[in-house]
Amino acid sequence: ESKATGRNRLTVFEAEMLAGKRQRRLIERELRAAVYLNELELYYQPVANADGSIFALEALVRWRHPVRGIISPAEFIPVAEHSTLIDLVGEWVFKRACADITQFPGKRISINVSGEQLKRDEVVLMAQRVLLESGRMASQFVLEITETVATAATPEVLARIQCLKELGFRIALDDFGTGHCGFNYLKTLPINSIKIDRSYINRLANDEVAQVFVSALAQIGRIQDLTIVAEGIETAEEFKLARAAGCTRFQGYFIGRPMPRKELSGVLDLQNGSTRLTA
Ligand code: C2E
Ligand code: MG
Ligand code: MG
Ligand code: MG
């Protein structure tokens, strides 16, 4: 009986990938229930300084589906973005992060904000409300907005980002290099940091254009007082090259994988005992 239901859920989810509108509705309903059934989990991936010490943690949501196991956000966030369901998921993530941050003393938490959330004033109201209810300070959080969302932003969306920044949140431009944000436009954006997409970091070893791009961005970062984060560091060599290019923060499997809060607390305890994750 439960096996049959399970198989049914699986089929439905896969059918959704074919983008049928009715199937998508079914997944949306399942995901909405998942929020209330506590099937979402927040993993954390370390963001390190040049010496390997942990500076911050990026919150990355997962769906622990009773049948399919762990489902990646790359699969279900796009489904949620088709409706205001993304607001519900976004609020769950922020609330969870506000509760978890006490486990990571002195560290910031980075949270991904969908471009769809930014299309509604609710995003600002939600952030204020959750902060107030949890007693946290906005400056403890970084809100990540992808470059693609920033370059396509309407004046209203830009105003909301500005407003979140004025509330005290740090703003990061995520997946930089995948869109086409001009350096002039970059100057006008209300941001504190830029996260270079991992496609550039992975090419650092054998692509001179990628090296020049990352170095140029690092220099712009110094001039404009922006932190430059290298994403997707998978090897010691990439870590070395990203440092040499002038990046100041580092994230990727080589530094640490996304992991549940409890596992990460262990890593942080180790670090506080002066052991470094990486030299
Ligand atoms: P992102 O914000 O760019 O997050 C980085 C993604 O790269 C994560 O995938 C992370 O696990 C992965 N990653 C980190 N280091 C490495 C590495 O060294 N190599 C490789 N190959 N990958 C690495 P994940 O967790 O599957 O998340 C995918 C995307 O889903 C995120 O990309 C983000 O855009 C979105 N996402 C995740 N959580 C949330 C959320 O709470 N809200 C929203 N709106 N989007 C989210
Ligand atoms: Mg991100
Ligand atoms: Mg990214
Ligand atoms: Mg991404």
Side-chain angles (χ1 to χ4, degrees), residues 77-228:
I77 292 288
V79 176
E81 284 177 332
H82 271 100
S83 69
T84 54
L85 180 51
I86 188 63
D87 295 353
L88 186 69
V89 173
E91 178 166 355
W92 183 90
V93 166
F94 191 38
K95 277 185 177 158
R96 185 73 254 165
C98 283
D100 289 350
I101 200 166
T102 53
Q103 313 268 323
F104 313 129
K107 314 290 181 213
R108 277 191 191 139
I109 292 187
S110 221
I111 292 173
N112 294 284
V113 177
S114 159
E116 293 303 310
Q117 284 174 274
L118 289 166
K119 287 182 182 169
R120 296 175 282 277
D121 286 331
E122 162 63 15
V123 70
V124 178
L125 301 173
M126 179 278 281
Q128 281 180 294
R129 189 175 64 241
V130 174
L131 269 190
L132 201 68
E133 284 168 359
S134 64
R136 306 287 175 251
M137 279 165 52
S139 58
Q140 295 176 280
F141 299 92
V142 181
L143 303 181
E144 298 192 3
I145 292 148
T146 64
E147 183 197 14
T148 325
V149 165
T151 44
T154 60
E156 289 76 20
V157 166
L158 282 176
R160 285 179 199 112
I161 299 173
Q162 180 72 48
C163 188
L164 287 164
K165 189 161 184 272
E166 277 162 20
L167 284 172
F169 290 101
R170 311 282 161 147
I171 310 289
L173 199 54
D174 202 1
D175 299 348
F176 191 84
T178 59
H180 31 257
C181 185
F183 286 147
N184 270 326
Y185 185 64
L186 194 60
K187 240 190 312 202
T188 70
L189 288 174
I191 56 173
N192 304 95
S193 60
I194 295 177
K195 302 185 75 172
I196 306 178
D197 191 69
R198 77 176 137 85
S199 56
Y200 291 89
I201 304 306
N202 300 157
R203 294 201 316 255
L204 276 182
N206 31 40
D207 181 346
E208 238 177 314
V209 174
Q211 286 168 17
V212 170
F213 178 80
V214 175
S215 303
L217 208 54
Q219 283 183 52
I220 287 171
R222 269 193 297 277
I223 295 165
Q224 293 184 14
D225 202 22
L226 295 169
T227 301
I228 306 295

